Amino acid sequence: MIKKIKRRVAGLSVQTKASIAYMFASVLTKGINVLMLPIYTRLLSTSEMGIVNNFTVWYAILYVIVTLSLTTASMSIAMIDYKKEYEKYQSVCLTISTVTSGIFCIIYIFTYSYINKVTTLTVPLMVIQIMLFIFNPALDSWYARQRFEYKYQSVVAVSAMITVLSVIVSVIAVYRAKNNGVEDLGTVRVIAQNSIVIMFGIFFWFKIMLKGRVFWNQSMATYALKLSLPLIIHTLAKNILDASDRIMITKLCGASAAGIYGTVYNISLVATIIWTAINSAIVPDIFHNLKEGKTEVIAVLAKRILMIMAGATIIAILISPEILLILTTKEYYSAVYMMPAILLGVYFTAVYGLYGNILMYYKKSVSIMLATCFAAIINLTLNYIFISLFGYMAAAYTTFISFVLLAVMQGIMQFRVTKKEIIPTKSVVLISAGICILGLIINILYEKIIVRYLILAFIFVVCFFYWDKLKNILKV
């Protein structure tokens, strides 16, 4: 049996091996954090969980601005254009992000009271953020290169070390702090968990700088900024789209509501494990196929990916109540009715991500930016109106609507740029409509556990009897 598995693995393409490896790394990093929720939700109050979620949200927003978004998609494109000088390119980008992080640090020293008031973060939490701004771009840059070159073993190894050490250190720190009567356990968890990331970031910062040995190159800096600056607005808008709900809930409903919403949101986002892993593996493949004009390969790939995402989303929606009961306490269960909307939002993240990959290849970062900004503005508006009227659970549905709008807009932009339908619109519409209808129906059935599990059993029976056909359809 083991030999047979080894032979099958050996026969897989590099892209498929990379996808499986990234899936494993993502399952490990996100999965362990989710599996630790039963411990965290019992050690920390809902308000303290709100502090952790608030830190994460503001980090995602500020990181993009402070580091100029230099470690996003421009890295993958640079690996093609600067193939022989990529180490120099990395060190130049790292120099820029370090300087901008230093500037932000100086600004914070003189305006800390105002920034703390806006973000509701304390000085210790902001210090951790600044250290992450300086050193985390090195880790992101290293990850980007390893993924592009399909060096999945090193990505898995480093991801595993960071995740396991972060969890161990944070749990021990919180447990000891609670026994010693420390009140701000949310801050303890944030500092302990991120200290491991910072240490790895410091290591890779020096590694990249010593290998590149170029602190400034005008043409490389211009190239990087030309690609990355439009992406700042796009990535910022995307992060606002992802996080404005939690920021507004903190402001309008308090830290406790934000803690409940953020925790349930994080559980539901386990579905992103699949998409993040697959996308990391297929971006180089999409770029290579576009370069060679093989758009029909991308069309087939896109349909298969959407079917995988749709199946995973429906299964996750069906078992959401039980997942929530296992991973959290009774204070969180009332939020179960948000999970279908959040999970459907993750599916549409994959839809607009596929279109976005194509737009990025053609260097249409401005088009991506405009679409994301529009969706973010719609999301902010809907959140403000409906959170005020219906409470924090409304945010899940307003965010879902915004993701649908973003997918539609990026699909239209991709067609205008390429003048052809690379990703089949009919397949996207049919799969998306089907999953939305099923998701909303299941939401009504959450109290009927027998009906839900009969549906789940039916899905598995169909998959079992039509497995050969499914393998041919989903074979990547």
Side-chain angles (χ1 to χ4, degrees):
M1 177 64 74
I2 295 173
K3 288 182 179 179
K4 186 178 179 181
I5 293 171
K6 284 182 177 180
R7 282 198 302 270
R8 293 194 67 177
V9 171
L12 297 173
S13 66
V14 175
Q15 291 88 346
T16 305
K17 287 179 182 178
S19 183
I20 293 169
Y22 298 148
M23 178 83 73
F24 173 78
S26 296
V27 168
L28 187 67
T29 54
K30 290 187 175 70
I32 286 180
N33 286 323
V34 171
L35 290 174
M36 294 306 295
L37 278 175
I39 295 174
Y40 286 133
T41 53
R42 287 159 179 82
L43 285 175
L44 279 67
S45 66
T46 53
S47 296
E48 288 165 337
M49 291 293 286
I51 291 170
V52 177
N53 286 317
N54 191 48
F55 175 90
T56 305
V57 166
W58 278 108
Y59 173 71
I61 292 172
L62 292 175
Y63 182 75
V64 174
I65 301 169
V66 176
T67 65
L68 303 183
S69 197
L70 289 169
T71 56
T72 53
S74 63
M75 283 288 177
S76 296
I77 300 170
M79 272 181 265
I80 296 173
D81 294 342
Y82 284 103
K83 189 174 182 180
K84 295 181 180 179
E85 296 183 297
Y86 188 69
E87 289 169 350
K88 294 179 181 179
Y89 180 83
Q90 279 185 305
S91 62
V92 170
C93 289
L94 210 51
T95 298
I96 298 171
S97 64
T98 302
V99 170
T100 55
S101 299
I103 293 169
F104 176 80
C105 182
I106 294 168
I107 293 170
Y108 178 71
I109 289 170
F110 289 101
T111 61
Y112 72 91
S113 58
Y114 175 76
I115 292 175
N116 289 355
K117 184 179 179 181
V118 171
T119 61
T120 65
L121 295 172
T122 59
V123 171
L125 292 179
M126 283 304 303
V127 170
I128 291 294
Q129 294 241 3
I130 291 168
M131 293 181 73
L132 287 168
F133 297 155
I134 295 170
F135 296 111
N136 206 42
L139 186 58
D140 287 343
S141 179
W142 181 82
Y143 275 141
R145 181 170 187 175
Q146 303 306 303
R147 287 187 176 118
F148 193 86
E149 295 176 351
Y150 299 116
K151 294 178 180 177
Y152 48 86
Q153 297 97 331
S154 54
V155 173
V156 172
V158 173
S159 298
M161 282 191 286
I162 292 174
T163 302
V164 173
L165 288 172
S166 296
V167 168
I168 291 171
V169 170
S170 63
V171 169
I172 291 173
V174 170
Y175 181 78
R176 288 177 66 86
K178 188 168 187 175
N179 287 342
N180 291 326
V182 176
E183 293 183 359
D184 194 358
L185 297 178
T187 299
V188 172
R189 180 187 165 186
V190 169
I191 293 172
Q193 192 164 322
N194 286 285
S195 62
I196 302 299
V197 179
I198 292 167
M199 284 191 288
F200 273 84
I202 291 170
F203 171 78
F204 284 107
W205 191 94
F206 281 102
K207 181 182 174 68
I208 290 169
M209 292 304 245
L210 290 171
K211 212 166 185 180
R213 294 183 180 277
V214 175
F215 299 110
W216 183 256
N217 179 292
Q218 185 64 46
S219 63
M220 288 181 178
T222 303
Y223 175 93
L225 292 171
K226 187 178 178 181
L227 280 175
S228 297
L229 287 177
L231 280 174
I232 292 176
I233 302 173
H234 156 66
T235 312
L236 180 61
K238 182 183 179 301
N239 288 343
I240 290 172
L241 185 60
D242 290 338
S244 66
D245 45 8
R246 281 161 282 178
I247 293 173
M248 285 197 177
I249 289 168
T250 302
K251 295 287 186 183
L252 298 174
C253 307
S256 181
I260 294 171
Y261 180 89
T263 302
V264 173
Y265 193 91
N266 289 336
I267 294 171
S268 301
L269 286 181
V270 172
T272 58
I273 293 172
I274 297 171
W275 167 240
T276 302
I278 292 173
N279 195 48
S280 296
I282 66 169
V283 166
D285 207 30
I286 288 175
F287 284 6
H288 292 315
N289 280 308
L290 285 170
K291 189 176 182 179
E292 294 174 10
K294 296 179 180 178
T295 55
E296 68 282 355
V297 176
I298 298 171
V300 174
L301 184 65
K303 284 193 288 186
R304 290 168 178 169
I305 287 169
L306 291 180
M307 289 181 70
I308 291 169
M309 287 299 300
T313 301
I314 289 300
I315 291 170
I317 291 173
L318 280 167
I319 61 175
S320 288
E322 288 68 45
I323 292 172
L324 200 58
L325 284 171
I326 292 167
L327 296 178
T328 64
T329 58
K330 61 182 180 180
E331 288 89 352
Y332 296 85
Y333 187 75
S334 60
V336 69
Y337 295 99
M338 304 187 315
M339 292 185 82
I342 296 172
L343 287 164
L344 289 170
V346 175
Y347 166 81
F348 279 97
T349 298
V351 177
Y352 74 68
L354 288 169
Y355 290 123
N357 289 335
I358 296 169
L359 289 171
M360 274 308 306
Y361 174 80
Y362 289 102
K363 297 181 174 66
K364 298 296 180 181
S365 52
V366 175
S367 298
I368 298 172
M369 174 197 73
L370 291 173
T372 313
C373 285
F374 180 76
I377 291 168
I378 295 294
N379 187 237
L380 284 167
T381 306
L382 292 176
N383 276 339
Y384 183 78
I385 294 169
F386 289 100
I387 292 173
S388 300
L389 290 174
F390 302 107
Y392 69 89
M393 280 195 279
Y397 292 89
T398 57
T399 302
F400 160 63
I401 291 168
S402 302
F403 282 147
V404 174
L405 283 173
L406 182 56
V408 171
M409 286 187 290
Q410 292 206 165
I412 293 170
M413 287 178 175
Q414 180 261 296
F415 183 79
R416 286 181 177 177
V417 168
T418 61
K419 306 299 181 185
K420 58 183 174 181
E421 191 181 78
I422 294 178
I423 299 173
T425 303
K426 184 179 178 181
S427 298
V428 174
V429 171
L430 287 174
I431 296 170
S432 301
I435 189 178
C436 287
I437 293 167
L438 279 172
L440 295 174
I441 290 172
I442 294 166
N443 198 7
I444 301 169
L445 301 173
Y446 268 158
E447 298 303 321
K448 302 183 185 299
I449 188 170
I450 295 174
V451 176
R452 283 191 291 109
Y453 276 86
L454 283 173
I455 295 171
L456 189 64
F458 175 76
I459 291 171
F460 283 117
V461 168
V462 170
C463 289
F464 177 79
F465 282 106
Y466 291 92
W467 180 241
D468 290 334
K469 289 184 178 180
L470 283 171
K471 278 197 299 184
N472 289 330
I473 293 171
L474 299 177
K475 187 177 180 182
V476 178

